[in-house]
Amino acid sequence: GALEAQAERLVAFLEGRPECSPVDVGVSLATGRAVLEHRAVVLGGDRETLLAGLAGGHGVISGMVAEGRTGWMFTGQGSQRIGMGHDLYDQFPVFARALDEVCGHLDGALEGVVGFGVPVRDVLFAAEGSGEAGLLDRTGYAQTGLFAVQVALVELLRSWGVSPDVVLGHSVGEFVAAYVAGVFGVEDAARLVAGRARLMQALPEGGAMAAIEAGEAEVTEILGGLPDGSRVGIAAVNGPTAVVVSGDEDAVEQVMAVAGERGCRVSRLRVSHAFHSALMEPMLAEF
C-alpha cells in the first residue's frame, strides 16, 4: 500500500512539472530514497510512457526483496551478430579499452594464420552486407568475437561496481567464465580461445547438430536404437526437455526422424561443424 501511495505522489508531483528530467528523477529515486522491502521499477523510453507506468500501466516490474546471489552466464557460438558492442564501444571508454585489449591479444595469436587476415574488431563492426561482415558467422571469428565482446561487457560491469557470485558458460562462454573467476588472465584466455577457434575452423566442414524437445533419457534411448549410434551423440543438455545432438549428418537426421515420429519437436541448427561431438577429436592433440 505504501508503495502504491508513493507512486501516486510521484505522478502528482511530475504532472505539474514538465521540466523534470526522467533521468534526474530516476537517479534521485535510486539514490535518495530508503531501500525498503517492497519495490517497483517503471521502464519506458519517454516521459509519457513512464507516467503511464506509474499510474498502473505497462512497463512496471514489482516484487519483494529476497535473499539470493548473482549469476553471470556467458553464451557460446550462434549468438553472434554484426555490430554487437558497437554502441557500447562508442559510449563507454572502459568497454572500448577492454575490447581493444582483448582484440589485440586475439589478433596477435592469429597473426599470419590463413583465414584470419582481418582484425577481430573490424569484423565485429563491419558494415552490414560487406565481405568482412560475412566472416562473423565463420567458426573462427564467431568464437573470438563473442569472447572479446563478453570480456569487455564484464569489465564495463565491474567498473560500475557489479560482480557475480557464480559464473557459468556454454562452449566458448566457458572461457569467459573462467576468466571472470580468475582461472586465466586475459592474455592466456585469449590465447586459448584463439587456438581453439583456429583449430576448429581448420577441421573439415560437415556433420550436423539438432535440438530436440525431449529428455536426456529419451534421447539416449533413441541413440541406442541406431544401427551405429557412435556416429552421433549428445552435445548438450540444456534443460529437462531440451537436448542437442551432434555428429555425422545422416546419423543426426536419423535421430531427428525418430524423435519426430515420437511427437518431439526437432530443429536442425545452422552450424558449419558438428561441435561437441567426436568429429572434434582431430584437433585435440594440438590444442
Side-chain angles (χ1 to χ4, degrees):
L3 181 62
E4 291 176 3
Q6 172 60 23
E8 291 170 3
R9 286 195 297 274
L10 187 55
V11 169
F13 176 85
L14 292 173
E15 283 181 337
R17 294 172 174 82
E19 73 279 3
C20 282
S21 159
V23 173
D24 290 342
V25 173
V27 169
S28 298
L29 290 169
T31 61
R33 289 280 178 182
V35 181
L36 302 176
E37 188 177 8
H38 292 263
R39 305 180 192 176
V41 176
V42 181
L43 305 176
D46 54 50
R47 178 188 173 87
E48 289 70 28
T49 305
L50 292 167
L51 282 171
L54 280 171
H58 297 294
V60 181
I61 300 171
S62 61
M64 288 181 63
V65 179
E67 291 297 321
R69 295 187 296 165
T70 300
W72 287 0
M73 299 185 291
F74 300 100
T75 187
Q77 192 173 337
S79 54
Q80 70 276 1
R81 62 177 178 83
I82 282 297
M84 60 181 180
H86 186 273
D87 290 352
L88 294 173
Y89 188 91
D90 284 346
Q91 190 167 351
F92 298 106
V94 170
F95 183 93
R97 283 195 299 272
L99 189 74
D100 286 345
E101 180 185 2
V102 180
C103 287
H105 292 313
L106 292 167
D107 292 337
L110 294 167
E111 188 175 1
V113 177
V114 176
F116 290 93
V118 182
V120 173
R121 195 187 70 191
D122 290 358
V123 173
L124 286 172
F125 297 164
E128 198 80 50
S130 66
E132 289 81 4
L135 294 173
L136 188 60
D137 284 334
R138 295 183 62 186
T139 297
Y141 280 108
Q143 293 185 18
T144 52
L146 284 167
F147 175 77
V149 170
Q150 291 182 96
V151 168
L153 282 169
V154 165
E155 296 310 319
L156 180 60
L157 288 167
R158 282 174 165 170
S159 75
W160 293 335
V162 182
S163 62
D165 297 300
V166 293
V167 291
L168 62 157
H170 171 66
S171 199
V172 74
E174 292 178 278
F175 288 89
V176 189
Y179 162 71
V180 177
V183 176
F184 306 124
V186 67
E187 187 172 358
D188 283 340
R191 188 157 56 91
L192 283 168
V193 168
R196 181 181 189 271
R198 170 177 61 83
L199 292 168
M200 281 190 173
Q201 183 162 296
L203 289 171
E205 291 195 4
M209 299 180 74
I212 302 175
E213 189 182 48
E216 182 179 3
E218 184 173 4
V219 174
T220 301
E221 182 188 336
I222 293 172
L223 295 176
L226 297 182
D228 184 5
S230 64
R231 296 189 301 113
V232 59
I234 292 178
V237 178
N238 293 327
T241 57
V243 174
V244 177
V245 296
S246 180
D248 288 349
E249 184 173 12
D250 59 336
V252 169
E253 288 179 345
Q254 288 179 51
V255 174
M256 292 175 67
V258 175
E261 290 169 1
R262 294 187 176 201
C264 304
R265 287 197 302 170
V266 296
S267 175
R268 181 159 170 175
L269 306 185
R270 288 168 33 184
V271 292
S272 58
H273 296 74
F275 298 111
H276 305 288
S277 79
L279 295 180
M280 296 289 104
E281 287 180 4
M283 63 161 278
L284 290 180
E286 186 177 348
F287 183 62

